[in-house]
Amino acid sequence: FKQIFRANKERPPISKSTPPTAGAILWARSIFHRAKRPVLSFKTMQSLLQLPEGQAACKEYVELGKEILEYEQSLFEAWQTTAVELAVSCLKYHVLVYDQKKKT
């Protein structure tokens, strides 16, 4: 899962109807949830957690979770900055414009 995330995080596959930032965050979360299922099986069977492979899998899962969280936060902060700037600039435009050509 970490390889998939790292390979596609610059250009994540998102659907056409999804906004770019929201789609990228949704994609990252879907990877995290797909990685979560096997780790939950480790949690239910404590004997697996005691094996070196189980501990390594849990460690990789935690590292992936941190990496995805940082990715989500950086995307959100970048979006938030541009959204505020765009909203402020759009508020400067006139909503209604008087058409001087028409005299009724």
Side-chain angles (χ1 to χ4, degrees):
F1 292 110
K2 191 182 284 190
Q3 292 172 348
I4 294 170
F5 174 71
R6 287 183 178 168
N8 295 315
K9 76 178 187 178
E10 295 301 321
R11 297 196 64 186
I14 57 174
S15 66
K16 291 180 183 180
S17 62
T18 308
T21 304
I25 291 173
L26 183 65
W27 168 79
R29 287 186 181 178
S30 71
I31 288 179
F32 180 72
H33 287 293
R34 283 187 278 164
K36 187 176 186 177
R37 287 186 194 135
V39 173
L40 286 178
S41 65
F42 282 108
K43 298 267 183 187
T44 58
M45 296 183 235
Q46 291 296 325
S47 60
L48 291 176
L49 275 177
Q50 294 172 354
L51 297 173
E53 293 86 3
Q55 291 174 355
C58 284
K59 182 180 177 187
E60 285 185 33
Y61 169 73
V62 170
E63 289 174 3
L64 177 65
K66 288 178 183 178
E67 194 171 339
I68 288 175
L69 183 62
E70 289 173 9
Y71 174 73
E72 288 179 10
Q73 287 174 341
S74 69
L75 284 176
F76 178 75
E77 288 170 2
W79 170 82
Q80 191 175 25
T81 302
T82 58
V84 169
E85 291 172 4
L86 181 63
V88 169
S89 69
C90 287
L91 287 173
K92 293 178 183 177
Y93 296 126
H94 297 287
V95 177
L96 299 174
V97 177
Y98 177 72
D99 188 7
Q100 294 180 0
K101 294 178 186 177
K102 277 187 166 180
K103 291 186 179 180
T104 53

